[in-house]
Amino acid sequence: MNDAAFIEVSNASKSYSKGGIVIPVFEGLNLDVSKGDFITLMGPSGSGKSTLLHAIGGLEPLTEGTVRVGEEQIEKLSQSQLSRWRARTVGMIFQSFNLMPSLTAFANIELPLMLTSLSRSERRRRVETVTQLVRIDHRLKHRPRELSGGEQQRVAIARAIVADPPLLLCDEPTGELDRSASGEVMNILRTLCDELAKTIIMVTHDPTAAAYSDSVYHLEKGQLSAQEDQAA
Ligand code: ADP
Ligand code: MG
């Protein structure tokens, strides 16, 4: 297979129907992402960035068009195939962390592995590996409310990568963080791309966060365009 397009979104359109009224979000979008690329999607609120991210992650079907990730044409998968595909392929990272409040950091990170046949000691080993990577190994017994925003997001990143998916989808991952915590999260995402060859698609409003990625796309009025490289 051609390495140049790990992800291929073709002629993608999405509209929502509410009370008989069709609300178009975007139409005829095309996007190719190479393996190991780190790209950013920017654009005004409501332009469809999250919708596009969810379509790529198989969380929300397109109205028209196709999404291929690796060898998988995802609209051809049944619901159960899609869940299994998602579990091994996609790690999601959200603005508001989405951790389980009653579970410790360790248990939150271990959660995706509970659906696998891995032994308890193998699960522990994997959790320890990823928590060292995101430097949260000193907080494993804490519950989310006992962690700072930056620490919660690092727990969420550890959870997203613990099953070793090739693709990370990040929806405003620094949206609730201060500058220093944002920088730490962005450094981690950059390292995951550079050292573990993760393919990353990130939505952000923050140009400082976007600067950590390889390229920036703008979604506006239903159209996607690549931002010209800016001289530093
Ligand atoms: P962004 O992430 O760029 O802010 P979204 O992808 O969340 O934008 O939303 C794009 C548009 O689609 C918005 O107008 C939003 O109101 C609409 N929308 C999103 N999800 C739904 C839904 N489940 N039902 C109806 N409309 C939706
Ligand atoms: Mg959004």
Side-chain angles (χ1 to χ4, degrees), residues 13 16 76 79 92 99 116 126 130-131 181 191-192 204 230:
S13 301
Y16 289 104
K76 292 195 174 146
Q79 276 307 319
M92 289 285 302
L99 299 173
T116 68
R126 292 230 194 167
V130 294
T131 54
T191 302
L192 294 175
T204 190
Q230 310 217 328

Side-chain angles (χ1 to χ4, degrees), residues 16 18 25 44-51:
Y16 289 104
K18 283 272 175 242
V25 181
S45 198
S47 59
K49 304 178 298 296
S50 295
T51 303

Side-chain angles (χ1 to χ4, degrees), residues 49-50 171-172 203:
K49 304 178 298 296
S50 295
D171 201 347
E172 306 195 33
V203 168

